[in-house]
Amino acid sequence: MGTFQIEGGHRLSGEIQPQGAKNEALQILCAVLLTDETVTINNIPDIVDVNKLINLLRNLGVKIQKTGKGSYTFKSDELNMAYLNSEQFKIDGGGLRGSIMIVGPMLGRFGKGYIPKPGGDKIGRRRLDTHFEGFMKLGADFRYNKEERFYGVEAPNGLKGDFMLLEEASVTGTANIVMAAVLAKGTTTIYNAACEPYLQQLCKMLNSMGAKISGVGSNLLTIEGVEKLGGCEHTVLPDMIEIGSWIGLAAMTKSDITIKNVNWGMLGIIPTTFRKLGITVEKQGDDIHIPAHTDGYEVQNFIDGSIMNISDAPWPGFTPDLLSIILVTATQARGSVLIHQKMFESRLFFTDKLIDMGAKIILCDPHRATVIGHDFQSQLKATTMTSPDIRAGISLLIAALSAKGTSTIHNIEQIDRGYENIVERLQGIGAKITRLD
């Protein structure tokens, strides 16, 4: 396991550029399988999960060329379909949650798609039912090899559009179904579709390839199937999860930080939610400026005076990936806040590590935690920790950068899965962080 050593208690300053959005990149990369023409993608983040998917596509036979920092071309004109039945595919697909999204484009274009049960974060049960129920509504046959934990869908006679009401507004589920439906015969209507910026970007990219998708940005998508898609050029959005992470970092360390080129129009209520903790989030063109909070920040109350409650919800609600950042940032606020993680299980269990550091947190149950802020009257104490997943890992890193003394974080591979060159970038704004491998 890799390790970070962090000397906390230092104020940071300067500018930081967010990477390309991890969650968008995983969808967009799978969409290159829908055409035999060249697709160019820019602003791809250089992170473990994305690089794993690029390697999987290369093993599948996609011709990939890197043309610059974060820019690649992809051509899927001679795929190695035998790879899908290989032991290597079980290893490649099983080690990455996002690999599930190759099934939709493979099913739509070739009439069959397979995937081993994918891995990823250990943050509770995340079902794949939405994906496969959607494929079956389009006419695919489903099979599951329980012994090998291997999923498959086949449609030898092609797919046919249909109406479907999704049980849950799954982002990856919606993306997968959309990628299958764009090449189906007839019209597909998806109600209760996810409408996150990632999904909007995927639909815009597919439309630029020749797809006919309407309702983009809403929870009702209509897809007119086409016979063939062509190439395109697409640029990935800045990562809104990383942007939120740097807002929390700036507040916790009383730092003056400017986050560059954030694409404000796609941030939704993220800035508003941090302002509920009393954090000053300034819009400067397309940048975010967080001034040094030398006097701290105070949690707002609801208009009736009751305690602030911050919870996650499907877009345009607050993204669950930032709830752990909100929680750690609240530990130094003035006032109290209830954090309610509704959408995933087990994501609050990292709070025991914050409690060890001196944070005042009451874990009410697996989904709710009450945070009583210190108001910077006492610093968190440095400690040794292990990162359980990407978002908890970055939250612990923020806590360590604000703490008194030197902390150690093990299993940093989890953080590397979602954050590009994080040591060098944090060092660039003054952080005292070292990677020990």
Side-chain angles (χ1 to χ4, degrees):
M1 290 193 303
T3 299
F4 285 154
Q5 191 172 79
I6 304 107
E7 184 182 306
H10 299 285
R11 291 194 183 182
L12 316 177
S13 65
E15 298 179 347
I16 192 163
Q17 176 79 34
Q19 67 188 34
K22 166 185 177 279
N23 291 342
E24 178 189 339
L26 293 175
Q27 297 181 21
I28 296 302
L29 287 169
C30 294
V32 307
L33 295 168
L34 284 164
T35 179
D36 59 3
E37 297 183 18
T38 299
V39 175
T40 300
I41 306 178
N42 305 309
N43 203 31
I44 296 177
D46 182 12
I47 54 178
V48 170
D49 276 11
V50 167
N51 292 336
K52 280 184 177 180
L53 182 55
I54 290 174
N55 185 62
L56 186 153
L57 293 173
R58 185 177 283 112
N59 289 341
L60 183 54
V62 180
K63 297 167 184 171
I64 302 173
Q65 288 189 330
K66 186 172 184 178
T67 58
K69 186 182 184 323
S71 295
Y72 292 79
T73 62
F74 301 86
K75 193 172 178 65
S76 306
D77 59 339
E78 294 179 321
L79 297 184
N80 175 21
M81 303 298 283
Y83 167 67
L84 298 176
N85 295 315
S86 69
E87 289 301 317
Q88 187 61 47
F89 178 57
K90 293 177 184 178
I91 296 170
D92 295 343
L96 174 66
R97 185 80 191 173
S99 62
I100 182 64
M101 286 182 289
I102 72 166
V103 177
M106 294 296 288
L107 177 64
R109 185 175 165 200
F110 299 104
K112 55 185 176 182
Y114 309 105
I115 198 72
K117 186 172 183 179
D121 284 328
K122 294 177 173 58
I123 55 174
R125 187 169 55 97
R126 291 197 281 181
R127 297 182 294 115
L128 299 176
D129 299 50
T130 301
H131 301 248
F132 291 105
E133 286 171 359
F135 297 147
M136 288 188 283
K137 285 288 284 184
L138 295 174
D141 296 322
F142 171 74
R143 64 183 181 85
Y144 175 51
N145 185 322
K146 191 173 183 180
E147 290 183 2
E148 297 186 3
R149 293 159 66 91
F150 204 77
Y151 298 90
V153 278
E154 298 177 350
N157 299 318
L159 301 175
K160 186 176 180 180
D162 200 350
F163 171 85
M164 60 186 79
L165 173 59
L166 303 188
E167 183 182 343
E168 60 174 350
S170 164
V171 179
T172 55
T174 303
N176 229 347
I177 296 165
V178 166
M179 286 189 281
V182 289
L183 293 176
K185 294 183 177 69
T187 301
T188 300
T189 305
I190 307 174
Y191 193 31
N192 195 30
C195 52
E196 271 77 356
Y198 319 127
L199 205 286
Q200 295 177 41
Q201 286 284 98
L202 173 66
C203 290
K204 290 175 185 176
M205 173 180 166
L206 293 174
N207 281 343
S208 72
M209 295 168 71
K212 297 180 180 179
I213 307 170
S214 58
V216 178
S218 76
N219 69 344
L220 181 61
L221 295 176
T222 302
I223 304 158
E224 301 287 342
V226 298
E227 289 188 6
K228 192 175 189 299
L229 295 180
C232 73
E233 182 168 357
H234 178 84
T235 299
V236 175
L237 286 173
D239 196 315
M240 64 182 179
I241 311 305
E242 192 178 90
I243 292 165
S245 303
W246 305 147
I247 295 173
L249 171 65
M252 279 285 283
T253 57
K254 294 187 176 181
S255 300
D256 188 305
I257 293 176
T258 299
I259 310 167
K260 302 293 290 181
N261 304 314
V262 300
N263 201 322
W264 270 87
M266 287 294 195
L267 291 180
I269 65 170
I270 290 172
T272 302
T273 305
F274 279 97
R275 287 172 181 143
K276 288 180 179 179
L277 293 184
I279 297 168
T280 301
V281 181
E282 299 175 348
K283 186 177 188 297
Q284 294 184 348
D286 203 32
D287 302 340
I288 287 177
H289 176 239
I290 310 296
H293 287 69
T294 53
D295 296 325
Y297 43 95
E298 183 171 2
V299 181
Q300 299 176 6
N301 290 327
F302 287 115
I303 56 175
D304 63 357
S306 57
I307 185 173
M308 177 58 61
N309 181 341
I310 296 178
S311 59
D312 59 338
W315 193 270
F318 189 66
T319 172
D321 282 343
L322 279 176
L323 212 58
S324 57
I325 306 295
I326 286 286
L327 188 150
V328 73
T329 307
T331 62
Q332 285 294 5
R334 187 160 52 252
S336 301
V337 60
L338 175 66
I339 305 297
H340 193 169
Q341 173 64 264
K342 297 178 179 179
M343 295 177 64
F344 294 104
E345 303 162 356
S346 311
R347 259 194 167 171
L348 297 181
F349 289 164
F350 78 100
T351 54
D352 61 339
K353 300 171 179 64
L354 297 177
I355 294 169
D356 288 344
M357 299 177 78
K360 296 178 181 177
I361 302 171
I362 302 168
L363 187 60
C364 309
D365 56 46
H367 291 275
R368 296 178 301 162
T370 300
V371 184
I372 300 96
H374 282 221
D375 190 22
F376 292 101
Q377 298 302 305
S378 63
Q379 275 184 281
L380 298 180
K381 302 185 297 291
T383 188
T384 297
M385 302 168 276
T386 299
S387 172
D389 63 69
I390 300 175
R391 308 310 173 188
I394 198 69
S395 301
L396 296 175
L397 178 54
I398 291 171
L401 286 165
S402 74
K404 183 178 181 180
T406 299
S407 294
T408 301
I409 303 179
H410 298 298
N411 196 29
I412 57 170
E413 289 82 1
Q414 288 287 350
I415 299 174
D416 288 335
R417 286 178 49 216
Y419 290 82
E420 176 181 326
N421 298 327
I422 190 166
V423 171
E424 295 79 8
R425 294 163 71 208
L426 288 177
Q427 287 173 343
I429 55 174
K432 307 293 184 183
I433 176 173
T434 306
R435 182 187 295 270
L436 307 175
D437 290 320

